[in-house]
Amino acid sequence: MSTAADSAAKTDQTAAQQSEEAQKLPMFALLALATAVFITSLTETLPAGLLPAMSRDLGVSESATGQTVTIYALGTALTAIPLTALTSAWRRKRLLLTSMAGFAVANTVTAVSSVYGLTMVARFVAGIAAGVAWALLAGYARRLAPPHLQGRAIAVAMAGIPVALSLGVPAGTFLGKVSGWRAAFLVMTVLTVLLLAWIAAAVPDYPGQERGERPKLLHALRVPGVAAILFVTLVFVLAHTIIYAYIASFLDDLGIGGNTDLVLLVFGAASLASIWVVGAQIHRRLRALTVASSLLVAVAAAVLALLSDQTALVYVAAVLWGLGWGGVPTLLQTAAGEAGGEKAADAAQAMLVTLWNVAMAGGGVIGGVLLDVSGADALPWSVLLLMLPVIAVVVLARGHGFPVKRSAA
């Protein structure tokens, strides 16, 4: 009897331990995904802080060198959807390792190239790898976590974005000044190689979809809520990029261009705070958080449009902007995954990634035109105007997309 009782007690203890483990996030694996997000985001924006040195070495103008950012976004926008469909049957870990290996190759070629055309090809390849990775990462994070923690898991993975923007770009710029711009890209290669080993050791594998279950994009568009989420993604990211891409010019017009790094640091710190809040509350308050994020960015744009002659209020706007923007990738990826469901989630994510990068490329172009034609004062006004339909769609999508009542994850 004693042996049976001991065996039952051990069984109960093992079950309790397994239950407790199921309630925890696999942080080591999720941090590997966050590092992948960091590398994809930083690889895209790194040239922005290295343009003068890159243009001298490549023998082209700074504006031409700046197109290394645009072609990266185009590589992602043009290939994310078809490659997601073509690789939907691949096992997830194999696909993640392949996409990150693409970054290692592309950044290495960028670092050693002295030919502008070759550099542009390498950047396009990096954009292709980003399209595959971004369509994969949010869904991967969801599968790593128990249902009630899936939103928090995506928040951890997406934390790589504000870290890249607030810390990675300044650090890369500093390294470029000290050791040359090529060293910055070689460091990216080293980080990616280390990440490949990390993923291989710590991230569990999952199967892809069966051939008959591959994502159908037109079907995903007809899923209630998906179109609303994609519209919000396109316009929200467009608005953000218009001001972010030209924040240095805007601040210089105000006479505080020397404080650009500090303003971006404030923005980045607020973004990290936003990521933490969203991660803690997204499971219960996705709709409220999305509405709040939209309103905060709109208010920040209004402050910059109306009150930017007061330097202190510029920093207040940076805080509001960061608080509004930081959690947006997590909110939109989570909303797309939930609206798409098991059958259409991958297709919805692929379209989201595509529109995200279309918006980034478009924001750079539109912001540049506004700057040349109307001056820096037009930038925050354009952001405010774009945020009005975003707020309207989020508020109206109360049944699907950003629902008042959410089904179980």
Side-chain angles (χ1 to χ4, degrees):
M1 293 293 293
S2 176
T3 302
D6 290 344
S7 177
K10 289 180 179 179
T11 300
D12 290 342
Q13 184 178 7
T14 301
Q17 290 175 345
Q18 291 175 341
S19 177
E20 183 179 352
E21 290 175 358
Q23 304 305 309
K24 295 180 180 179
L25 287 175
M27 291 301 298
F28 197 51
L30 285 172
L31 289 175
L33 300 188
T35 304
V37 171
F38 173 83
I39 287 173
T40 61
S41 299
L42 184 53
T43 296
E44 180 167 22
T45 55
L46 187 59
L50 305 170
L51 288 183
M54 288 182 69
S55 67
R56 286 194 298 270
D57 280 5
L58 296 174
V60 295
S61 67
E62 289 189 22
S63 61
T65 306
Q67 300 312 304
T68 58
V69 177
T70 302
I71 200 167
Y72 180 107
L74 288 175
T76 300
L78 293 174
T79 63
I81 289 176
L83 284 181
T84 297
L86 287 173
T87 59
S88 63
W90 287 32
R91 295 194 67 85
R92 301 294 89 181
K93 190 169 183 175
R94 174 191 172 196
L95 185 56
L96 179 58
L97 288 170
T98 301
S99 65
M100 297 315 298
F103 276 100
V105 173
N107 280 322
T108 300
V109 173
T110 301
V112 302
S113 172
S114 297
V115 179
Y116 179 70
L118 179 59
T119 301
M120 293 292 277
V121 170
R123 293 289 295 172
F124 187 77
V125 170
I128 293 173
V132 174
W134 269 75
L136 171 70
L137 286 166
Y140 216 138
R142 283 172 59 87
R143 296 174 79 170
L144 285 171
H148 70 288
L149 294 177
Q150 287 178 348
R152 191 172 299 177
I154 295 175
V156 173
M158 293 299 110
I161 297 174
V163 172
L165 293 177
S166 61
L167 302 178
V169 173
T173 303
F174 176 77
L175 180 62
K177 291 180 179 178
V178 173
S179 304
W181 67 270
R182 298 182 188 278
F185 282 97
L186 286 175
V187 168
M188 295 298 293
T189 297
V190 172
L191 287 176
T192 307
V193 171
L194 293 175
L195 176 62
L196 288 170
W198 187 356
I199 292 170
V203 178
D205 193 13
Y206 295 100
Q209 294 180 320
E210 297 295 333
R211 290 190 178 274
E213 298 178 347
R214 291 188 180 185
K216 298 177 180 178
L217 302 180
L218 292 178
H219 169 71
L221 278 175
R222 292 193 292 267
V223 174
V226 170
I229 294 165
L230 295 178
F231 174 85
V232 169
T233 299
L234 176 66
V235 183
F236 205 146
V237 177
L238 180 65
H240 164 78
T241 306
I242 284 173
I243 189 72
Y244 185 83
Y246 296 97
I247 188 64
S249 299
F250 177 75
L251 295 176
D252 189 58
D253 190 63
L254 297 177
I256 54 172
N259 295 341
T260 299
D261 54 350
L262 183 57
V263 172
L264 288 177
L265 184 62
V266 170
F267 164 78
S271 295
L272 291 174
S274 176
I275 281 281
W276 183 84
V277 172
V278 167
Q281 300 294 326
I282 190 172
H283 180 66
R284 291 169 293 182
R285 298 185 173 90
L286 184 146
R287 175 179 173 81
L289 290 168
T290 308
V291 172
S293 293
S294 304
L295 289 172
L296 283 168
V297 172
V299 171
V303 171
L304 291 176
L306 297 170
L307 303 170
S308 58
D309 55 330
Q310 301 181 49
T311 301
L313 292 180
V314 172
Y315 286 95
V316 170
V319 171
L320 296 175
W321 178 21
L323 290 175
W325 174 254
V328 166
T330 301
L331 292 167
L332 295 178
Q333 296 250 19
T334 302
E338 291 189 3
E342 290 296 327
K343 297 295 184 181
D346 284 352
Q349 296 287 357
M351 288 188 287
L352 185 148
V353 169
T354 298
L355 290 178
W356 189 289
N357 282 275
V358 167
M360 289 190 67
V365 173
I366 294 172
V369 171
L370 286 171
L371 194 64
D372 290 340
V373 174
S374 304
D377 289 345
L379 299 177
W381 283 111
S382 65
V383 173
L384 181 58
L385 289 174
L386 286 169
M387 290 307 300
L388 295 179
V390 169
I391 294 168
V393 171
V394 172
V395 170
L396 292 173
R398 56 188 295 113
H400 300 281
F402 306 99
V404 175
K405 294 182 180 180
R406 296 166 64 197
S407 59

